[in-house]
């Protein structure tokens, strides 16, 4: 399956909505916590067990993006979006069957494994195409799409909660909610499949560069360069710092002010989580668009350097000022989202558009690593501190110091990024012929 080449006069601004239809759907993953309490009650699960589908989904996201990236680049965005649609929706349908039969392993397999493959393939499906349509503003283009992944939970959370309230929180109600999710997301993602187009070969944008301008590096060559591994460290450190707060946001703000005269209520903690989701989403479009103006290396200096300062402020003064705590957390989460949205454009700057989708897929293994590392650091240290008799903000002091250290490591790795050595470049005639052959086949 190959996407049709856009006819003359076709607007490139139709591509971001196609990408958004996929990313808003798979962004449901950030709303998994809505299903945790009813699953624990209906199936007798622990908190750790109820988190397994989400954790496995994030791991499979990174793995499927890494191993499927080259195939996505070769087959094109329509094929990738179709695979994402089938896997993500099938994951919900299998989960519905598992909930109906009260077989939790089937929910873990369906949502985590099968659905996780849909997450990974869907996440990278529009990246290369967007960059080729918007070589003049790659940060903004990828930011619009990836913003959808951060914002998907803002739609899915209240929608899921309303369904569970209407259908009931028992196993049959959960199964029905999963079923509605699977069918609804299939229809919504189909819009992206039908709408997506690839640009005519060697298309240039008015007042903008050619899509083939600059160095071009293959995915196999890219992973042999120090630049790739420096960016891997940069992304991993930035995501670890953000997800460390995101995963434990509600209990964290409650703990920080538990010993004060103005403790945080459950409702206020839930509102804090919603604010973090909004900052995550806004950062994806805001900071990635800013990177088009000030450069990719400079924007990551902001993410990592200012992020470390925000963590230090929370560690030192966070328990004495709610506005300061909330503001610093919002900034950190905006950097978390911005880091995801900016990295495809950073890869394009370094490695060109030749196989940027496949390179991006391999880089997302950093997300899989951070998805385990961030929550592990915060939760394990908090548990140990609680066992030692500590409480309140002191549960998180050591983990915040570690996060500051990780952000410094990421800052140094970003400073080490240099242009790719020409010996890794694909010769221009060979690359152009390859692109021309791919697009003539898709036509």
């Amino acid at each position: 399956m190959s996407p049709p080449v856009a006819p003359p006069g076709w607007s490139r601004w139709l591509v971001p909505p196609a990408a958004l239809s996929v990313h808003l759907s798979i962004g449901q993953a950030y709303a998994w916590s809505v299903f945790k309490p009813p699953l624990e009650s209906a199936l007798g699960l622990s908190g750790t067990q109820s988190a397994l589908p989400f954790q496995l989904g994030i791991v499979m996201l990174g793995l499927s993006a890494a191993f499927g990236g080259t195939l996505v680049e070769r087959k094109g965005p329509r094929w990738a979006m179709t695979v994402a649609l089938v896997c993500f929706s099938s994951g919900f349908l299998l989960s519905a069957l598992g909930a109906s039969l009260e077989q939790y392993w089937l929910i873990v397999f369906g949502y985590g494994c099968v659905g996780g493959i849909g997450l990974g393939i869907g996440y990278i499906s529009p990246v290369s195409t967007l960059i080729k349509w918007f070589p003049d503003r790659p940060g903004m283009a990828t930011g619009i799409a990836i913003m959808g992944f951060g914002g998907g939970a803002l739609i899915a959370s209240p929608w899921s909660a309303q369904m569970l309230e209407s259908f009931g929180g028992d196993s049959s109600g959960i199964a029905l909610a999963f079923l509605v999710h699977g069918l609804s997301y299939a229809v919504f993602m189909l819009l992206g499949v039908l709408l997506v187009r690839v640009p005519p070969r060697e298309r240039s944008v008015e007042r903008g560069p050619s899509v083939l301008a600059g160095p071009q590096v293959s995915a196999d060559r890219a992973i042999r360069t120090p630049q790739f591994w420096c960016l891997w460290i940069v992304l991993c450190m930035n995501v670890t710092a953000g997800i460390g707060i995101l995963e434990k946001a509600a209990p964290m703000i409650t703990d920080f002010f538990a010993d004060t005269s103005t403790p945080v209520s459950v409702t206020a903690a839930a509102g804090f989580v919603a604010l973090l989701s909004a900052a995550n989403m806004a950062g994806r479009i805001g900071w990635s668009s800013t990177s088009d103006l000030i450069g990719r290396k400079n924007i990551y200096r902001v993410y990592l350097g200012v992020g470390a300062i925000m963590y230090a402020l929370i560690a030192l003064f966070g328990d004495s000022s709610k506005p300061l705590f909330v503001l610093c957390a919002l900034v950190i989460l905006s950097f978390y989202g911005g880091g995801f949205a900016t990295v495809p454009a950073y890869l394009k700057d370094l490695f060109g558009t030749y196989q940027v989708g496949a390179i991006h897929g391999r880089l997302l293994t950093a997300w899989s690593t951070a998805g385990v590392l961030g929550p592990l650091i915060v939760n394990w240290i908090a548990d140990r501190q609680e066992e030692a008799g500590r409480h309140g903000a002191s549960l998180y002091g050591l983990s915040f110091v570690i996060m500051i250290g990780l952000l410094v490591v990421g800052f140094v790795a970003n400073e080490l990024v240099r242009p790719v050595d020409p010996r890794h470049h694909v010769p221009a005639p060979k690359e152009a012929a390859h692109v021309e052959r791919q697009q003539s086949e898709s036509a």
Side-chain angles (χ1 to χ4, degrees), residues 108 119 170 258 275 331:
V108 174
L119 288 177
D170 58 0
L275 281 175
V331 172

Side-chain angles (χ1 to χ4, degrees), residues 270-333:
F272 174 62
V273 174
L275 281 175
L276 292 182
S277 295
N280 178 9
M281 181 176 67
R284 292 174 187 244
I285 181 61
W287 292 120
S288 60
S289 296
T290 303
S291 78
D292 288 333
L293 301 175
I294 69 173
R296 255 54 85 171
K297 177 175 278 193
N298 285 333
I299 201 67
Y300 272 96
R301 285 169 173 152
V302 174
Y303 296 158
L304 299 160
V306 178
I309 294 172
M310 295 296 103
Y311 257 114
L313 289 174
I314 293 177
L316 293 173
F317 309 111
D319 59 342
S320 61
S321 172
K322 285 181 185 176
L324 177 67
F325 179 94
V326 172
L327 177 63
C328 290
L330 290 176
V331 172
I332 291 170
L333 262 294

Side-chain angles (χ1 to χ4, degrees), residues 193-251:
V193 173
L194 297 176
L195 188 61
V196 72
R197 299 287 189 276
V198 296
R201 70 172 178 268
E202 298 189 41
R203 173 185 182 275
S204 61
V205 177
E206 296 81 0
R207 302 181 301 278
S210 165
V211 296
L212 299 180
Q216 305 294 330
V217 183
S218 70
D220 289 340
R221 280 282 187 175
I223 62 173
R224 301 175 191 175
T225 65
Q227 288 84 356
F228 176 88
W229 293 106
C230 283
L231 277 188
W232 193 98
I233 293 171
V234 166
L235 183 63
C236 186
M237 299 301 100
N238 191 60
V239 174
T240 299
I243 210 168
I245 287 182
L246 185 62
E247 190 272 341
K248 203 174 174 64

